[in-house]
Amino acid sequence: MKLLHTADWHIGKELGEYSLLEEQWHAFHQIVKIAVDEKVDGIIIAGDLYDRAIAPTSAVNALESMLRELNLDKNFPIYAVSGNHDGATRLGAGHEWREQTKLFLNTSLAGAFTPIETDEAQIFLLPFLDPLEARTYYQIPEEQAANYSTIEQVMAKIVPDLVAQFIDNKQHLLVTHFNVTGSGNDDYQFTSETNSRVGGLKGVPAALFNDFDYVALGHIHLKQASPNPKMQYAGSPVKFNTKEAQSEKGCFIVNINEDGVTTDWKPIVTGKDLIVLKGSYDELIQPEFYEQYERNGKNWFSITIDGIGAREARATLSNIYGDVVEINYNLPKLTDNTKTKFAIQAKGQAEEDVVGEFYREVTDDELSTKQVKIVEQTLTELRKAEEN
Ligand SMILES: [Mn+2]
């Protein structure tokens, strides 16, 4: 049995002010082609199908068309879970009749304990969840809630209940969507140390999943972040930010037989690439410089200007390059003296104050009331936002 493992489609995502739908369709068509060429027996989508819990109509139409093409036109079973970006309840609506055509999209913890069975494998679909959802499911009394307050703590309870469903002579696959940390090469022991607030407690130790023959992960967008060959992130099929600009996109083919599970990586060619540029403003507007790039709709550009730009820098650069998704400034470095002074001041201060003081330090001026508001709003949003 062969499955295609993809994740983090984030349908509806925008890059700067630009919609990525065209890119997402481009990647999707390649995924379909790989699935057909490889004659896979199903498609794994490991969460974050949408970019937002309440996806815009254009995104809903796109994802529905994609699922339709894979499942109804090409007859591929689909094994999917919701990720932290998906609205689980909305996405899970209608799952009972979708399952009639083998579109298995599980969005609840309760659904994770009934694996999908094929001749060769049991496929467990464990969606992204927070500790509260697990406490509710297990009816953990209030006075014990503190023992189940991190994702690691609840996962240490969930995984043995999944493993209890294992049937011998089948391979055991898990499709899930978390920040999995460590290499998994160590035995998992739930100690008081891992129980403490220290360390990456937002993550799940890879070793917790060691009983599975393959863990198809979503959440982190770079396949390089995979804990080990048995637990892999397929990554997002489209480049979403400059961190991902250098990385190859693609999906895994998962080969399952009685001896075990192996995988092959299949690259996806980006339609419109994300090109990261850095230079002085004068350099960036020289034809000799910009003519080496295919511009005006052929690529996305993320530009960092060394030093101060110019008035209308954004408009000028957009005219030259076309789709400029972001412009950053690489300002002159502070002197060591200022840095030390600033580091001392920044200790223990609210981030809002640190930003204000930093501004004062480099400009000898105060943030305007409007700028203060923007800083506050941005920091509030950043604190709320989750990674990936
Ligand atoms: Mn994601």
Side-chain angles (χ1 to χ4, degrees):
M1 178 186 192
K2 254 188 189 182
L3 298 173
L4 184 151
H5 166 200
T6 175
D8 293 276
W9 288 7
H10 285 260
I11 302 299
K13 191 173 175 66
E14 292 170 348
L15 197 56
E17 64 203 64
Y18 300 97
S19 162
L20 277 173
L21 261 187
E22 207 181 310
E23 295 314 297
Q24 289 169 323
W25 271 111
H26 182 85
F28 172 77
H29 291 313
Q30 291 181 67
I31 290 172
V32 176
K33 187 172 185 309
I34 293 169
V36 171
D37 289 350
E38 292 287 325
K39 300 188 174 65
V40 299
D41 303 291
I43 313 277
I44 292 170
I45 313 174
D48 282 358
L49 283 74
Y50 285 122
D51 190 54
R52 282 188 244 158
I54 300 179
T57 318
S58 57
V60 175
N61 288 337
L63 182 68
E64 288 295 321
S65 305
M66 290 172 182
L67 295 178
R68 188 198 156 84
E69 181 170 341
L70 284 174
N71 185 241
L72 293 186
D73 300 346
K74 301 276 195 276
N75 289 312
F76 290 120
I78 293 176
Y79 308 98
V81 296
S82 47
N84 54 310
H85 278 256
D86 297 310
T89 315
R90 281 169 180 268
L91 195 58
H95 72 95
E96 279 160 312
W97 50 89
R98 287 179 161 191
E99 283 167 12
Q100 303 302 313
T101 58
K102 298 194 175 174
L103 197 175
F104 303 101
L105 169 48
N106 182 37
T107 63
S108 74
L109 175 55
F113 302 102
T114 315
I116 316 304
E117 301 208 0
T118 71
D119 289 345
E120 295 92 344
Q122 285 182 297
I123 304 171
F124 291 82
L125 305 176
L126 176 64
F128 175 85
L129 51 88
D130 61 26
L132 174 63
E133 188 182 344
R135 292 201 298 273
T136 308
Y137 174 81
Y138 283 111
Q139 302 185 330
I140 304 286
E142 200 49 49
E143 59 272 20
Q144 283 178 38
N147 297 331
Y148 300 94
S149 61
T150 68
I151 195 61
E152 177 180 355
Q153 288 169 323
V154 300
M155 204 56 82
K157 185 161 178 63
I158 293 168
V159 172
D161 289 343
L162 299 174
V163 172
Q165 310 296 322
F166 280 14
I167 298 173
D168 289 348
N169 308 323
K170 289 204 189 211
Q171 302 297 322
H172 309 106
L173 270 66
L174 176 66
V175 179
T176 195
H177 189 97
F178 287 100
N179 176 22
V180 178
T181 57
S183 66
N185 292 328
D186 38 349
D187 282 337
Y188 181 69
Q189 275 184 329
F190 194 73
T191 63
S192 58
E193 208 171 305
T194 53
N195 194 3
S196 77
R197 285 238 150 239
V198 192
L201 281 188
K202 282 187 152 178
V204 180
L208 255 176
F209 296 131
N210 276 345
D211 287 333
F212 289 93
D213 298 291
Y214 186 67
V215 184
L217 293 168
H219 191 52
I220 297 180
H221 294 175
L222 300 174
K223 81 172 197 307
Q224 290 83 346
S226 302
N228 63 59
K230 298 267 172 217
M231 302 176 196
Q232 298 187 110
Y233 287 103
S236 54
V238 166
K239 294 176 184 179
F240 293 139
N241 57 45
T242 51
K243 252 198 313 189
E244 297 172 23
Q246 309 295 340
S247 71
E248 186 179 64
K249 294 301 185 184
C251 57
F252 283 109
I253 298 295
V254 185
N255 307 290
I256 302 153
N257 60 51
E258 54 205 14
D259 299 329
V261 180
T262 57
T263 57
D264 296 313
W265 174 253
K266 298 283 166 190
I268 288 175
V269 185
T270 29
K272 207 161 141 179
D273 214 346
L274 176 59
I275 294 180
V276 180
L277 296 182
K278 196 168 176 295
S280 70
Y281 183 70
D282 289 340
E283 199 176 356
L284 290 161
I285 59 172
Q286 286 302 318
E288 301 85 71
F289 183 85
Y290 62 69
E291 275 169 3
Q292 39 181 338
Y293 302 101
E294 285 203 275
R295 293 159 293 119
N296 295 308
K298 298 281 173 48
N299 289 301
W300 310 101
F301 290 91
S302 162
I303 299 178
T304 300
I305 302 173
D306 276 329
I308 314 291
R311 226 171 247 283
E312 310 294 329
R314 177 169 287 274
T316 309
L317 291 172
S318 294
N319 259 334
I320 293 175
Y321 290 94
D323 299 340
V324 178
V325 297
E326 61 174 353
I327 294 178
N328 297 307
Y329 291 92
N330 188 18
L331 293 169
K333 283 226 163 59
L334 299 175
T335 63
D336 281 351
N337 209 356
T338 318
K339 262 196 253 175
T340 318
K341 184 175 145 215
F342 187 69
I344 293 166
Q345 280 177 350
K347 249 188 188 168
Q349 278 188 339
E351 283 89 351
E352 284 82 348
D353 296 339
V354 174
V355 174
E357 274 185 33
F358 181 78
Y359 186 82
R360 191 178 311 127
E361 195 67 60
V362 288
T363 63
D364 278 328
D365 210 347
E366 299 288 328
L367 288 170
S368 69
T369 321
K370 195 179 165 202
Q371 286 169 325
V372 169
K373 238 193 182 144
I374 291 170
V375 169
E376 282 174 359
Q377 274 173 1
T378 309
L379 286 168
T380 308
E381 275 167 35
L382 281 175
R383 285 180 189 123
K384 269 196 268 174
E386 283 189 88
E387 51 179 359
N388 287 304

